[in-house]
Amino acid sequence: MAACSFDIQFIFVWAGWEGSVHDTRIFLEEIDNSNIRFLKPPEGIEKLKYYLVDLGYPNEYGYLRPYRDERNHLPEFYR
C-alpha cells in the first residue's frame, strides 16, 4: 500500500504481505496498529478532514471512498 501527497511524492509505503491479501485487510491493519505510522486524520468535529481512498478500502472515520457504480465524467465539470 502506498500514499502520495498532492505533490505526487510518496509519504507512506507498506509492503511485505505474503500471497494474495485484500486491500481492506491491509488498510484495517494499518489504521488499527499503533506501531505503524500511518496517516490518521485529526480528531474532533472542528477539525473534520477526510483522506480520499480507493474503492478497495472501506469507509472509516476520516477516510472517504467514492460511491460504487457512480461514473464521474470530466467533460460534465467543464460546463
Side-chain angles (χ1 to χ4, degrees), residues 15-60:
W17 284 78
E18 294 183 16
S20 177
V21 179
H22 195 274
D23 292 342
T24 300
R25 182 174 174 197
I26 296 170
F27 178 72
L28 293 176
E29 174 68 24
E30 286 176 330
I31 63 174
D32 290 338
N33 191 334
S34 61
N35 295 330
I36 300 170
R37 297 174 60 192
F38 186 66
L39 302 171
K40 294 188 169 66
E43 292 187 17
I45 202 140
E46 68 279 351
K47 297 180 182 177
L48 193 59
K49 294 183 180 179
Y50 292 94
Y51 289 114
L52 183 62
V53 296
D54 188 275
L55 271 176
Y57 301 108
N59 274 332
E60 291 287 329

Side-chain angles (χ1 to χ4, degrees), residues 7 13 22 27-28 53 61 68 73-74:
D7 299 331
V13 175
H22 195 274
F27 178 72
L28 293 176
V53 296
Y61 181 81
R68 288 193 184 274
H73 299 281
L74 193 56

